[in-house]
Amino acid sequence: MANTRAVLDAEEYPNTEVQKNRVLTLEEWQEKWVNHKIAFHQERGHQLLKKHLDTFLKGAKELRVFFPLCGKAVEMKWFADRGHSVVGVEISELGIREFFMEQNLSYSEEQIMEIPGAKVFKSSSGNISLYCCSLFDLPRANIGKFDRIWDRGALVAINPGDRKRYADIILSLTRTGFQYLLSVFSYDPTKHAGPPFYVPDAEIKTLFGSVCNIHCLEKVDAFEEVHKNWGIDYIIEKLYLFIEK
């Protein structure tokens, strides 16, 4: 493992094209849930989000918060418990059901008429709605616009060739004055094929820089024992805050 300070100060990897043709199907993601290959799930929630939550919320009340590719993220309940309205999208029905079960929340489910085969799961309290469908189909459901977006495990999971389409959808769902918190990883993409995929700073600026002022809130050494199995010797997590220009 490299020296932590040196890792955090390292330049980005120069070969940003190496993963560009990588594709995971929706079926492969669903299989990960069925086979419990969900190491990306954080049972205690995302600690950098917790640290910067006040900066993200700015004391606002009753916000609409969007969780793209939400899985069973415990942070959804954090926001709901603070009086905010949470909407998520997730391809795995199993992941959605596990969220409500593990958080001890009763819920209802209904078909989404605009998207054949899709469902929405709603907490009985009414402030959490999770859509089970492809994110790229979601705009057809007319889910409204959002004040905040928490993107942890979404941009880094989308197939690299779909990032422009993803960014366009995300930005189309934002209200005036929105803020967007994004977590990405930096590592040597020639040694690990992803996901999570490597998203360089330059691409983040290309995707969002025309609409957002981009601030890097924090960089942390995220290397753990499991990453040795990926064949890498360092991985940096970066937390960005996007604010509407």
Side-chain angles (χ1 to χ4, degrees), residues 15-151:
N15 185 353
T16 59
E17 297 288 300
V18 66
Q19 295 176 339
K20 71 176 183 178
N21 295 320
R22 281 277 287 148
V23 173
L24 265 73
T25 65
L26 295 179
E27 290 74 22
E28 286 176 290
W29 282 109
Q30 289 170 319
E31 287 173 8
K32 287 180 183 291
W33 282 94
V34 170
N35 297 322
H36 304 289
K37 294 182 177 179
I38 54 169
F40 49 82
H41 175 66
Q42 296 184 334
E43 291 185 2
R44 296 189 303 114
H46 195 275
Q47 298 307 299
L48 283 182
L49 172 63
K50 184 178 288 187
K51 178 178 177 179
H52 293 279
L53 193 57
D54 289 344
T55 298
F56 188 41
L57 294 178
K58 292 192 177 302
K61 306 294 185 185
E62 299 181 354
L63 297 171
R64 295 195 80 228
V65 184
F66 182 51
F67 278 66
L69 280 58
C70 60
K72 56 178 181 179
V74 301
E75 299 99 303
M76 292 190 286
K77 192 164 186 299
W78 293 359
F79 285 99
D81 286 348
R82 287 167 172 77
H84 305 297
S85 177
V86 172
V87 175
V89 60
E90 169 58 48
I91 194 60
S92 171
E93 183 172 322
L94 177 61
I96 291 174
R97 291 186 185 279
E98 287 184 2
F99 168 76
F100 285 109
M101 180 183 68
E102 293 173 9
Q103 299 302 325
N104 296 311
L105 296 173
S106 58
Y107 64 94
S108 61
E109 61 183 273
E110 59 189 66
Q111 300 293 320
I112 304 172
M113 301 309 297
E114 300 89 346
I115 308 172
K119 297 178 181 178
V120 59
F121 296 76
K122 298 181 179 180
S123 64
S124 298
S125 60
N127 60 350
I128 301 177
S129 298
L130 305 184
Y131 288 76
C132 186
C133 63
S134 165
L135 179 138
F136 295 113
D137 289 332
L138 191 62
R140 289 155 54 189
N142 298 315
I143 62 171
K145 295 185 182 293
F146 297 91
D147 305 291
R148 299 289 187 274
I149 297 170
W150 168 225
D151 183 333

Side-chain angles (χ1 to χ4, degrees), residues 169-188:
I169 287 177
I170 292 294
L171 291 173
S172 76
L173 296 174
T174 56
R175 281 178 174 168
T176 299
F178 74 90
Q179 295 197 25
Y180 177 1
L181 201 60
L182 169 70
S183 167
V184 298
F185 293 103
S186 183
Y187 60 87
D188 181 345

Side-chain angles (χ1 to χ4, degrees), residues 157-170:
I158 292 291
N159 294 326
D162 290 331
R163 285 177 188 157
K164 177 64 167 65
R165 189 160 60 120
Y166 171 84
D168 288 347
I169 287 177
I170 292 294

